[in-house]
Amino acid sequence: MNVETLIIGAGPAGLTTAYELTKAGHSVAIVERDPVYVGGISRTVNYKGYRFDIGGHRFFSKSAEVEAWWTEIMGNEMLQRPRSSRIYYNGKLFDYPLRAGDALAKLGPVEALRCVISYGWAQIRPHRNVVSFEQWVVNNFGRRLFEIFFKTYTEKVWGMDCGDISADWAAQRIKGLNLYQAIIQSFGLGKKPSGSDGVIKTLINSFRYPRLGPGQMWERARDKIVDQGGTMMMGSTITAISQHAETGKWIAIVTDAQGKETKITADHLVSTAAVNELVRMLGADADPAVAAAAKGLRYRDFLIIGLITRGKESFDDNWIYIHDPSVKVGRIQNFKSWSPDMVPDPNTACYGMEYFCNAGDDTWDMSDADLIARAKQEIGQLGLAEPQDIIDGSVVRQPKAYPVYDDTYKINVDTITEGLEEQFTNLHLAGRNGMHKYNNQDHAMMTGILTAKNIIAGSSVHDVWGVNEDAEYHEGGSAGDDKIEERLVPRRIA
Ligand SMILES: Cc1cc2nc3c(=O)[nH]c(=O)nc-3n(C[C@H](O)[C@H](O)[C@H](O)COP(=O)(O)OP(=O)(O)OC[C@H]3O[C@@H](n4cnc5c(N)ncnc54)[C@H](O)[C@@H]3O)c2cc1C
């Protein structure tokens, strides 16, 4: 097979690149490891007709181009859905964003008093040399509020002790979530934003969502790519690849699940596979510096357990943050609230129990049966479902769900990209793990759109690495206003 562009990965970045290229009349082949699903981390799993995401996926972008792309693919199958989420703490559901009256009433007078005393104590005896996230929050709001509304959930998601997370992250995180401000204001402490009733005005209260989940978007994109002449190779990986010394063309052997090999030559290679896997695939790890950098990249993994229950769901929110340290679940999705069509039988519900973990740890290594049993026990303990009403369950593991930003990730990524650029021409890195960037779906897509534009133009007219994570991505602003800002994620104290 001879194509202009060979693409590794049929996630949002790979499919967007392929769609744009085939639309412009270019020939492409996409190699996707998964035998069934397209969409990567943004796929929608179908379990006996119950559809669930790898964590709920909101469609909201500051890029007008991406918003228009979604409409082009989905037409009127793209729903506008209300956003609703709450915080579970100590048997109660707190409004999110936090509202002072609601929080106070639910914390009760004794706890409220403890919060005030602990705030006062932090003002009298603050940490002097603030380096950690924990110290920053405790200094500003007191230990009690830190423990109730931040510590547990942050540690579940990031797998790091709040004492090890750098303080830099605190200001942005708290500005974004404004968890504490409302409570502090209700005690007459802190600064009240002008014209505010204590509720964050910018927090988006609706988002777009495909009727049958994000997977529907990516299945449609796949079908359109095939209609436009693209080749999809599911359940396949590249088992050998090299560049022709004179022509610079890529020569790849693609092997499917049955062991059938296809030789493909291509002018361009677009990779959305994890950077460290690409390094191995290309043999770039022959350079010890590149090999060490690839080995140094770290990831946070994730698994979701879909639980199907009889009867009506116990809450209407899209999801609930679980700030309860006695259970391991971090967030619970209610997929019927994302779209009623995610659940085939209206007399049942489907919850997504989300566990943030590391491949190889106790949670990751548990058998599916044990994971389902634990999820049932935990949702029962939280009082959000009766274990006897749970009729079925399904586990989905997602390796490399989050690229980790640690002290050395930036230097590792730079070492790898410099090494690859020196050695290989016509190689394009795109997407989330493909660039080891904390890109959301729309940013991953934008890297795909720009990569396609560069290939069509025949030179790198667009800076794909300039596509960045947006600080207030899902928490504020308006869709399509094209405002891109650097997004901070927790980093370990250097
Ligand atoms: C819990 C969670 C919730 C999220 N929520 C949202 C949200 O609400 N909104 C939002 O916009 N984004 C969200 N995201 C982010 C979103 O999922 C990603 O940004 C997006 O899927 C990245 O697209 P991608 O194409 O770069 O990579 P991926 O989605 O990782 O796709 C890569 C594809 O390449 C394939 N592949 C990898 N290596 C190989 C190989 N060697 N050979 C063949 N195939 C290969 C994979 O199988 C996969 O299909 C969330 C992510 C997580 C983890």
Side-chain angles (χ1 to χ4, degrees):
M1 193 192 298
N2 198 349
V3 290
E4 282 162 302
T5 304
L6 176 61
I7 299 172
I8 307 172
L15 290 172
T16 307
T17 313
Y19 180 79
E20 293 298 313
L21 286 174
T22 51
K23 199 173 158 189
H26 283 236
S27 55
V28 306
I30 308 182
V31 180
E32 168 54 52
R33 185 159 46 198
D34 195 291
V36 179
Y37 291 108
V38 290
I41 308 171
S42 306
R43 68 192 178 280
T44 299
V45 173
N46 187 335
Y47 178 70
K48 300 183 185 172
Y50 288 83
R51 299 175 67 94
F52 57 92
D53 307 352
I54 314 307
H57 272 63
R58 281 178 285 167
F59 284 66
F60 176 83
S61 182
K62 297 286 179 69
S63 159
E65 199 170 357
V66 170
E67 288 279 349
W69 203 99
W70 291 336
T71 308
E72 181 174 325
I73 300 289
M74 294 301 296
N76 57 12
E77 287 281 274
M78 199 69 176
L79 313 176
Q80 189 75 38
R81 298 294 299 162
R83 173 205 161 123
S84 156
S85 56
R86 282 181 289 173
I87 294 171
Y88 180 99
Y89 175 74
N90 203 16
K92 302 205 173 82
L93 289 170
F94 292 74
D95 285 353
Y96 180 86
L98 225 57
R99 286 189 310 110
D102 176 74
L104 269 185
K106 286 172 185 161
L107 283 175
V110 175
E111 187 58 68
L113 187 64
R114 287 176 76 183
C115 291
V116 176
I117 293 170
S118 115
Y119 175 80
W121 181 249
Q123 302 315 297
I124 300 165
R125 300 279 308 270
H127 294 283
R128 294 281 167 217
N129 179 21
V130 177
V131 289
S132 75
F133 173 77
E134 176 171 343
Q135 290 167 334
W136 193 97
V137 176
V138 169
N139 267 11
N140 284 275
F141 306 109
R143 177 157 297 279
R144 203 56 209 142
L145 286 173
F146 163 73
E147 281 168 355
I148 294 173
F149 288 116
F150 223 95
K151 179 178 164 57
T152 308
Y153 185 71
T154 305
E155 292 183 352
K156 279 182 188 175
V157 174
W158 298 105
M160 282 190 258
D161 192 287
C162 286
D164 292 335
I165 296 174
S166 147
D168 306 346
W169 189 54
Q172 189 225 15
R173 170 81 176 166
I174 289 160
K175 176 176 146 251
L177 296 182
N178 237 347
L179 280 176
Y180 308 103
Q181 201 181 13
I183 290 194
I184 292 300
Q185 280 162 16
S186 68
F187 297 131
L189 305 169
K191 262 206 301 209
K192 194 165 185 151
S194 53
S196 161
D197 56 1
V199 178
I200 307 168
K201 288 282 197 306
T202 54
L203 198 96
I204 57 160
N205 51 19
S206 75
F207 53 83
R208 294 168 88 198
Y209 191 71
R211 187 175 63 81
L212 295 171
Q216 186 187 16
M217 165 83 67
W218 300 116
E219 285 154 20
R220 282 199 175 192
R222 171 202 59 202
D223 294 347
K224 284 177 191 262
I225 291 163
V226 172
D227 287 350
Q228 289 168 179
T231 303
M232 294 291 313
M233 306 178 85
M234 298 300 292
S236 300
T237 51
I238 291 177
T239 43
I241 186 157
S242 58
Q243 252 189 336
H244 192 280
E246 281 150 32
T247 63
K249 275 188 190 269
W250 291 98
I251 305 157
I253 303 296
V254 175
T255 308
D256 72 10
Q258 286 70 46
K260 188 176 148 246
E261 292 186 346
T262 308
K263 183 175 171 185
I264 301 184
T265 55
D267 301 322
H268 296 272
L269 177 68
V270 176
S271 173
T272 71
V275 186
N276 55 2
E277 281 180 43
L278 179 72
V279 163
R280 277 196 299 276
M281 213 185 292
L282 295 174
D285 50 357
D287 175 341
V290 173
K295 215 168 154 220
L297 291 181
R298 294 196 310 117
Y299 302 87
R300 183 92 172 128
D301 309 292
F302 174 87
L303 66 83
I304 183 161
I305 303 164
L307 289 182
I308 300 164
T309 62
R310 261 189 297 264
K312 198 183 152 2
E313 59 276 23
S314 60
F315 57 91
D316 289 333
D317 308 71
N318 308 105
W319 69 89
I320 290 184
Y321 299 101
I322 306 298
H323 284 227
D324 187 322
S326 70
V327 290
K328 288 213 163 9
V329 64
R331 230 168 29 169
I332 304 181
Q333 301 286 341
N334 168 17
F335 286 108
K336 219 162 145 188
S337 281
W338 287 80
S339 163
D341 290 337
M342 298 289 276
V343 172
D345 176 353
N347 298 315
T348 59
C350 179
Y351 299 109
M353 305 282 285
E354 300 183 356
Y355 293 86
F356 305 90
C357 49
N358 290 327
D361 70 12
D362 291 351
T363 299
W364 185 265
D365 281 347
M366 269 171 105
S367 70
D368 286 8
D370 287 348
L371 282 168
I372 292 168
R374 186 166 84 184
K376 266 185 179 179
Q377 183 273 320
E378 290 193 348
I379 201 168
Q381 182 183 327
L382 296 171
L384 296 174
E386 293 296 336
Q388 68 270 18
D389 289 338
I390 299 167
I391 49 179
D392 207 347
S394 172
V395 178
V396 177
R397 289 178 178 75
Q398 178 60 55
K400 298 193 169 95
Y402 299 91
V404 167
Y405 283 10
D406 57 16
D407 300 341
T408 54
Y409 94 95
K410 188 90 181 65
I411 193 156
N412 287 336
V413 172
D414 290 347
T415 306
I416 293 169
T417 50
E418 278 161 26
L420 292 177
E421 271 159 21
E422 250 172 48
Q423 226 183 324
F424 303 102
T425 51
N426 303 344
L427 171 65
H428 310 262
L429 306 189
R432 179 166 162 119
N433 289 333
M435 302 171 81
H436 203 85
K437 277 187 101 173
Y438 199 84
N439 283 329
N440 263 311
Q441 198 178 202
D442 63 328
H443 296 113
M445 290 176 63
M446 187 49 83
T447 65
I449 290 172
L450 297 184
T451 299
K453 284 183 179 171
N454 285 343
I455 291 173
I456 292 165
S459 68
S460 294
V461 282
H462 298 282
D463 176 16
V464 178
W465 289 91
V467 175
N468 224 319
E469 306 88 340
D470 178 346
E472 293 173 294
Y473 173 68
H474 277 145
E475 305 300 343
S478 324
D481 72 5
D482 273 328
K483 186 167 144 273
I484 301 289
E485 292 167 3
E486 173 79 33
R487 177 181 186 172
L488 293 176
V489 297
R491 292 160 205 249
R492 260 182 212 285
I493 298 168

